[in-house]
Amino acid sequence: MSKRKFRLLSKAVFFYLLFTLVSFIISALILQREANDHMHNILENRFHHREHRIEYILKHEPDKLQNSSYAHVRQVDHVPEGFEPFYTDTLMLNEHTRRENIYRKKTTYMTVEGTHYKVEMTKEADELYRFKDDVFHIVLPVFLILALAILLANYILSGHLFEPFRRILGQMASYKIGQAGSLPSIKTTTYEFDRLKQLYQRMQQRIENDYFQLKEYTENMSHELQTPLSIIQNKTEAMLSQNNLSTIQAKQVKAIYEETQQLSRLGKALNLITQIENQEFQNIRTIKTAPVIEGHLEKVREMTDMKELQIKKALDPKHAFTIDPGLLDVMLRNLLKNAIRYASHGSTIHVETGDAGMRFVNQGEAPDFEPQQIFDRFRRGNGQKTLGLGLSIVKKICQVSGLEISYEYKEGHHIFAITNPTSE
Amino acid sequence: MKLLVVEDNQELTEDVCTFFREDGFVTEAAYTIQQAREKVGVYSYDLVILDLGLPDGNGLDLIGEIQQQHEGTAILVLTARDSIDTKVQGLEQGADDYLTKPFHKAELNARVHSILRRRISGGSHQIQLHELTVDLSARKATIHNNVLNLTRKEYDLLLFLVYNKNLLLTKESIAEHLWGDHFDQADNFDFIYNHIKNLRRKISQAGGKNYIRSMYGMGYKFVSDPS
């Protein structure tokens, strides 16, 4: 399972907004602390002022403080050791506005002319609290406006800014060997895209160089190998044509001859795989499979008769593949060869086409390897002398033709199914 | 019959030339396009066996030139390039047939005879060998004027044997000739034996001699003088 993919710009915006939000929260917290300090200082000033006043009253007219709302003063025996004034915020009813407001209470001790007093003063702090809340009330809308602006800019700019990038991607997606240099150059003032374009062009050049070198090598090898093989083959045939070889000599020449044949087939098969991989078969068209399969079945009749095989065909005349006709031929030939080779003597081979695709089914012994390895190169079944390239060629053909091939061994039958995934 | 072999490998050229010389052809060899051009410019050939991968260029370019010089010259393209493209190109340019390396000499021989037969108009289209007559235009074989009742494959096999008389035909070359790419080399060759057996039986039933000999268990030879 691959993770969900997001656009770069969306990702960038997401993280940008996330960081902005975090920094907004941090600055809001700092602002709030500043506001707190400020508030405390103001209140402290006012309490200080009041304390002076109380001290004055206690000195000159102490009775005045009895039952006063100005401050609650009580005479005590001594001041607790190490006492620090403390504050508590509480909700209280405001007598004038008849509304509950936040008040701050300061509790402290005073010593006036040798007498100790515990003093409790209250002061309204509502406005200051509201100021503190305002910090958040301002920061949040500002953040939302900023986020909206960024999203809008992203939406408008993504089309324009990323245009060259999308065009480079388009060129990459539709690139075929042999196009290097023929693609229209993409102009961009974005450093990264320009660099990407240059690297892509350089990569294209490299791919093409490698490809043409490989192609040349394959062609050369094919040519240089086949000519000596022709000579060996002809010479051995000539030796065998002379009627004067001893049995041992004939056996040896025969071995040379057979290995030469094998070598030549190997060269041809590998060459074919390379040609398929290089996508040299480009005569792609829609071909009705029924008549082609009929033709192939006709040509292998003697081979099937030899093994007394029955061919049961159920061919849909409408079934078609979009493929190079040469490749279709090679594919069918190899599938048939494979079915005939591994079919049990006297059994039945089923060839079916229809909406579910194309199926080749033959009875036979279970493979002595993992089923998914059946398409590997040089994979041969149960001691067979073949090259072991036929099915890997079939697989290659399916790959370049947009077809899917599957294999399973079920209830004594080998089942090959070829489907066109896009037609469903 | 005059034959020009254009092929850069001297050993192979020599092999092919010797082979056809023994069959009564007049053969010449050219190892480069330039040499071939000179020869074609001066002499006329019945057939040119043309390799495509030549040191000084692609043999395909020669096809048109040869045909301009002598319309009657047949061309058999011989190449190591086993690609459909080249095959189609060669035939489109006017080559008569196409054979990929490595080839069986018997196959080359059969192709050459078949091309020449098609090219020669009016001539006798019969091969006569003692009591055996193969009528190429009617695709029929007779022994002492008795028509052999041959299947298509048996007729093709007989013709292949007759074209290559006194030569060993390996089972591989017979299978390739009769079934082409459909033949699976890994399988046994029993069905070839069946065809040979039937052919022998039909010939002897019509009063013919035993021309087909088995060789070292590797193949068969059509002997022109069974004694």
Side-chain angles (χ1 to χ4, degrees), chain A residues 7 86-87 405 411 414:
Chain A
R7 285 171 186 278
F86 63 90
Y87 307 88
I405 183 160
E411 293 159 6
H414 301 273

mmCIF file of all heavy atoms in Angstrom, chain A residues 7 86-87 405 411 414:
data_model
loop_
_atom_site.group_PDB
_atom_site.id
_atom_site.type_symbol
_atom_site.label_atom_id
_atom_site.label_comp_id
_atom_site.label_asym_id
_atom_site.label_seq_id
_atom_site.Cartn_x
_atom_site.Cartn_y
_atom_site.Cartn_z
ATOM 1 N N ARG A 7 -0.048 17.382 -3.358
ATOM 2 C CA ARG A 7 0.704 18.328 -4.164
ATOM 3 C C ARG A 7 1.723 19.057 -3.296
ATOM 4 O O ARG A 7 1.456 19.328 -2.131
ATOM 5 C CB ARG A 7 -0.244 19.373 -4.760
ATOM 6 C CG ARG A 7 -1.048 18.838 -5.896
ATOM 7 C CD ARG A 7 -2.108 19.839 -6.282
ATOM 8 N NE ARG A 7 -2.966 19.251 -7.293
ATOM 9 C CZ ARG A 7 -2.666 19.223 -8.583
ATOM 10 N NH1 ARG A 7 -1.546 19.777 -9.022
ATOM 11 N NH2 ARG A 7 -3.477 18.661 -9.439
ATOM 12 N N PHE A 86 -0.256 38.167 49.603
ATOM 13 C CA PHE A 86 -0.730 37.340 48.489
ATOM 14 C C PHE A 86 -2.037 37.873 47.937
ATOM 15 O O PHE A 86 -2.732 38.648 48.580
ATOM 16 C CB PHE A 86 -0.844 35.866 48.895
ATOM 17 C CG PHE A 86 -1.839 35.586 49.973
ATOM 18 C CD1 PHE A 86 -3.181 35.291 49.653
ATOM 19 C CD2 PHE A 86 -1.475 35.613 51.320
ATOM 20 C CE1 PHE A 86 -4.085 35.022 50.660
ATOM 21 C CE2 PHE A 86 -2.398 35.354 52.303
ATOM 22 C CZ PHE A 86 -3.706 35.053 51.986
ATOM 23 N N TYR A 87 -2.313 37.431 46.697
ATOM 24 C CA TYR A 87 -3.456 37.965 45.957
ATOM 25 C C TYR A 87 -4.396 36.842 45.588
ATOM 26 O O TYR A 87 -3.971 35.752 45.249
ATOM 27 C CB TYR A 87 -2.992 38.646 44.656
ATOM 28 C CG TYR A 87 -1.931 39.687 44.887
ATOM 29 C CD1 TYR A 87 -0.577 39.340 44.896
ATOM 30 C CD2 TYR A 87 -2.296 41.017 45.081
ATOM 31 C CE1 TYR A 87 0.380 40.277 45.113
ATOM 32 C CE2 TYR A 87 -1.316 41.970 45.307
ATOM 33 C CZ TYR A 87 0.018 41.607 45.320
ATOM 34 O OH TYR A 87 0.966 42.539 45.545
ATOM 35 N N ILE A 405 -0.546 -10.960 -18.103
ATOM 36 C CA ILE A 405 -0.552 -12.420 -18.193
ATOM 37 C C ILE A 405 -0.459 -13.001 -16.796
ATOM 38 O O ILE A 405 0.254 -12.490 -15.953
ATOM 39 C CB ILE A 405 0.590 -12.945 -19.095
ATOM 40 C CG1 ILE A 405 0.492 -14.461 -19.208
ATOM 41 C CG2 ILE A 405 1.950 -12.524 -18.584
ATOM 42 C CD1 ILE A 405 1.218 -15.037 -20.391
ATOM 43 N N GLU A 411 -5.715 -28.007 -9.978
ATOM 44 C CA GLU A 411 -6.307 -29.321 -10.193
ATOM 45 C C GLU A 411 -5.693 -30.041 -11.402
ATOM 46 O O GLU A 411 -6.398 -30.516 -12.288
ATOM 47 C CB GLU A 411 -7.823 -29.198 -10.363
ATOM 48 C CG GLU A 411 -8.507 -28.753 -9.079
ATOM 49 C CD GLU A 411 -9.879 -28.148 -9.332
ATOM 50 O OE1 GLU A 411 -10.326 -28.182 -10.492
ATOM 51 O OE2 GLU A 411 -10.482 -27.651 -8.373
ATOM 52 N N HIS A 414 -2.378 -26.547 -16.088
ATOM 53 C CA HIS A 414 -1.636 -25.284 -16.215
ATOM 54 C C HIS A 414 -2.559 -24.296 -16.911
ATOM 55 O O HIS A 414 -3.074 -24.576 -17.988
ATOM 56 C CB HIS A 414 -0.386 -25.466 -17.078
ATOM 57 C CG HIS A 414 0.566 -26.492 -16.541
ATOM 58 N ND1 HIS A 414 1.522 -26.178 -15.620
ATOM 59 C CD2 HIS A 414 0.678 -27.819 -16.786
ATOM 60 C CE1 HIS A 414 2.214 -27.272 -15.320
ATOM 61 N NE2 HIS A 414 1.714 -28.295 -16.014
#
